Amino acid sequence: LKYASGCVDALGDKGGCPARIVSWEEILRADPDILVISPCSASPERTLNEMHLLASTPEFWKLRCVQSGDVYIFDHGCFSRPGPRLIDAVEMMAVLFRNIVIQDMEKSYTKWTKDA
């Protein structure tokens, strides 16, 4: 989905690769432009309530994306369930991260406000 929306994985992972544990060293070395936080089986509300776990880590604050405020929490369901929501997820990332304008933007924005 990230590639379909015009994004590149800063860690170099390809779509469909198995989940893995990533070290802070790897993340700091990649120093991503954008950080998307979308834990499996966690709602955006739960993720937001647990952000203190990341915020208490000094490495988190060293990231360029954190310093510039480019950190996003998404509902994991946008990316993990087959169907039309996958298209919505691609459009949402394209608009947010690549400034790509799509038709019927207002309708899409209304759907995304609950997902991002």
Side-chain angles (χ1 to χ4, degrees):
L1 297 178
K2 58 191 155 210
Y3 296 107
S5 66
C7 298
V8 176
D9 190 312
L11 294 171
D13 289 345
K14 301 295 181 200
C17 69
R20 65 187 183 96
I21 296 173
V22 182
S23 70
W24 274 113
E25 183 178 292
E26 281 182 274
I27 297 168
L28 289 169
R29 194 170 40 251
D31 198 18
D33 298 324
I34 297 165
L35 179 61
V36 174
I37 302 171
S38 182
C40 185
S41 301
S43 68
E45 294 80 16
R46 176 181 168 192
T47 303
L48 188 58
N49 287 333
E50 295 179 359
M51 279 300 295
H52 68 279
L53 299 171
L54 279 175
S56 66
T57 307
E59 291 85 357
F60 180 72
W61 298 102
K62 293 177 184 177
L63 295 171
R64 224 172 356 117
C65 57
V66 172
Q67 294 171 8
S68 66
D70 290 315
V71 178
Y72 301 85
I73 296 173
F74 287 155
D75 183 338
H76 186 262
C78 293
F79 308 102
S80 63
R81 297 182 190 132
R85 290 188 71 167
L86 294 178
I87 301 301
D88 294 340
V90 169
E91 289 177 348
M92 179 172 52
M93 290 190 302
V95 169
L96 288 172
F97 306 144
R98 305 292 296 161
N99 296 318
I100 296 171
V101 177
I102 60 170
Q103 291 180 345
D104 206 1
M105 179 75 96
E106 188 173 322
K107 179 180 173 187
S108 293
Y109 176 78
T110 301
K111 288 189 294 186
W112 301 336
T113 54
K114 67 180 186 314
D115 295 327

